Amino acid sequence: MKEFLPDFKEINPIVTSEPKLNLKINVELLNNNNQQMLLEKMGDGTNRRTTLAIFKHKKDKNDLVYVFDEVETHLHIKAQLDVLRLLKDLFKEGKQIIITTHSPFIINQVKLDEIKLISLDADRGSQIFELGSTTQTQITLANLGIMNIDLFFTSKLLIVEGESELKFIPIMYEKLYGYPITQNFLKIVKADGIKDIPNFIRIIKNSFSKTDIFALMDNDADEETKESLNKWIENGMIENSNIFVIGQKEFEDTFPNDVLALALSKYISDECGYEVEIEVKEIQKIRKSKKFSKSLGDIFYNMTYRGFSKPTFAQYLALYAEEEDIDEKFIRLFKLISD
């Protein structure tokens, strides 16, 4: 009981005698303050945890299979994970455990190959779907921040090249549509540079074929990367129309000079603690530089003597850019992932 009711202290049997020596025995649950714990006045979650405590105590060593229906009902997150630990302990004792659940917290705490998705098809009845992934693939997916719940319920997945796009897109999307991008069951993952995008497409598509994959990348891919992408397009792993190449060379140069100047001014002002205004002509001067984002960083450093963070600057761009200021490809991408 202590494992499932943190405030529980002891069980107190109360014996009362009546004529003819009939005994009436009640049982009280006492907390740490020796106050009675009235389970009937507590929530369904507490009662469910108490039931599991009794179950753990009384489990039969001859039992082989246990089936639980939606064990997470009325339980807060920590209680759900406590229950899962109990079930895993039973599994270690040689029991087979079958549970149905809608809890993302439980789904994300088990191995991918232990999950079965049951769906109802009007023509074929109940269908069972499972993910066949190697251990290495599961490690790679975890490193990408893709959890079990994402693989089963994400309808669209967007691979971006860097941290800047990862920061910019959710803010800009919510600014345009009024609700978070995740509401569309969309997951954004960051590749380790443009060369890794084809490899990530392969891993994700092999793990979950039903997910629509999109890719957003700078316009500086080498020939090897382009060939890999073309190969995955030909193999049907990603639609050509789902690949978006932006900028003359990189993400930052897709924005108008006045928006860049405003965002950079706000970024520098916040770093310096006083108002700073970067003139549009300063942005115009560096437009033809070999590495545009580095030149933006040089302006920032000369004003602040601090390191320039491209992801932080991307957040400022999202805050101060309007729909008419962003590349038309962003609008098409947002529309596709919203449908």
Side-chain angles (χ1 to χ4, degrees):
M1 293 292 284
K2 284 185 177 180
E3 181 179 348
F4 291 90
L5 296 172
D7 199 34
F8 170 77
K9 179 183 178 183
E10 62 181 6
I11 295 176
N12 181 37
I14 301 173
V15 180
T16 57
S17 62
E18 296 181 358
K20 300 182 181 180
L21 298 179
N22 289 328
L23 295 181
K24 181 179 180 181
I25 301 176
N26 295 320
V27 176
E28 288 183 340
L29 302 183
L30 302 182
N31 62 21
N32 291 324
N33 296 320
N34 290 319
Q35 296 171 328
Q36 186 178 0
M37 302 175 68
L38 300 175
L39 293 180
E40 65 272 16
K41 292 187 177 181
M42 295 184 179
D44 290 342
T46 299
N47 284 310
R48 176 160 290 220
R49 296 180 80 186
T50 306
T51 301
L52 284 166
I54 296 171
F55 162 77
K56 184 176 181 181
H57 174 68
K58 294 292 292 182
K59 65 182 185 294
D60 192 328
K61 294 186 182 299
N62 295 320
D63 292 340
L64 295 177
V65 181
Y66 293 108
V67 181
F68 299 92
D69 183 32
E70 297 188 25
V71 294
E72 74 275 10
T73 305
H74 303 298
L75 296 180
H76 57 71
I77 298 171
K78 182 180 182 303
Q80 291 183 36
L81 299 183
D82 287 342
V83 169
L84 184 60
R85 277 192 289 272
L86 165 62
L87 300 181
K88 286 186 174 182
D89 287 343
L90 288 172
F91 172 74
K92 291 176 183 177
E93 294 177 10
K95 314 297 185 184
Q96 182 178 6
I97 311 297
I98 301 173
I99 68 172
T100 65
T101 182
H102 296 282
S103 168
F105 309 105
I106 290 179
I107 292 172
N108 285 334
Q109 294 298 318
V110 299
K111 294 179 180 178
L112 199 56
D113 55 9
E114 294 175 340
I115 302 174
K116 306 291 184 288
L117 181 66
I118 303 176
S119 61
L120 183 62
D121 186 281
D123 298 321
R124 295 179 295 174
S126 295
Q127 301 292 308
I128 298 178
F129 180 77
E130 57 185 295
L131 297 179
S133 297
T134 64
T135 300
Q136 185 57 49
T137 297
Q138 292 184 41
I139 292 172
T140 302
L141 293 173
N143 290 337
L144 285 171
I146 299 177
M147 298 182 290
N148 296 344
I149 195 75
D150 297 319
L151 290 173
F152 279 101
F153 295 105
T154 295
S155 58
K156 298 180 177 69
L157 189 142
L158 172 61
I159 304 172
V160 297
E161 178 181 337
E163 191 76 21
S164 294
E165 295 89 337
L166 193 66
K167 297 290 187 182
F168 174 83
I169 289 174
I171 299 173
M172 196 73 220
Y173 184 94
E174 186 166 354
K175 186 175 180 178
L176 296 182
Y177 288 86
Y179 56 85
I181 196 168
T182 52
Q183 192 166 316
N184 285 326
F185 296 99
L186 180 131
K187 177 78 173 179
I188 305 176
V189 296
K190 180 183 74 68
D192 293 330
I194 196 168
K195 289 180 177 291
D196 275 334
I197 288 181
N199 187 44
F200 283 13
I201 291 173
R202 176 186 60 79
I203 291 172
I204 293 166
K205 202 63 178 180
N206 286 342
S207 299
F208 195 46
S209 60
K210 293 186 177 180
T211 298
D212 289 333
I213 297 179
F214 299 80
L216 179 68
M217 50 194 284
D218 291 348
N219 193 15
D220 57 359
D222 58 23
E223 290 304 315
E224 181 182 353
T225 302
K226 291 178 181 177
E227 288 177 9
S228 296
L229 283 172
N230 288 332
K231 178 181 177 182
W232 299 148
I233 291 170
E234 292 171 2
N235 291 343
M237 287 195 171
I238 186 170
E239 296 290 334
N240 188 36
S241 58
N242 287 1
I243 299 176
F244 292 82
V245 180
I246 58 170
Q248 295 297 317
K249 284 189 176 180
E250 52 185 328
F251 167 78
E252 289 80 9
D253 68 32
T254 64
F255 296 90
N257 292 338
D258 58 337
V259 174
L260 289 164
L262 175 60
L264 190 57
S265 297
K266 296 295 185 181
Y267 184 12
I268 293 174
S269 297
D270 287 346
E271 288 293 316
C272 292
Y274 54 85
E275 288 298 317
V276 174
E277 183 177 352
I278 302 298
E279 296 184 6
V280 173
K281 64 181 181 181
E282 293 297 316
I283 304 299
Q284 185 63 45
K285 284 180 185 177
I286 63 172
R287 270 294 179 183
K288 293 184 180 180
S289 58
K290 189 173 182 180
K291 185 70 173 175
F292 182 62
S293 60
K294 181 181 182 305
S295 298
L296 287 170
D298 291 340
I299 295 175
F300 179 87
Y301 178 78
N302 292 334
M303 298 288 292
T304 65
Y305 297 105
R306 298 179 184 179
F308 178 70
S309 168
K310 290 174 63 175
T312 302
F313 182 58
Q315 291 177 295
Y316 279 88
L317 285 170
L319 291 172
Y320 293 102
E322 301 299 332
E323 181 174 353
E324 60 271 17
D325 299 322
I326 63 176
D327 193 307
E328 181 270 338
K329 292 177 182 176
F330 280 117
I331 304 300
R332 285 197 287 118
L333 172 62
F334 289 167
K335 187 176 186 310
L336 278 174
I337 61 181
S338 298
D339 290 341

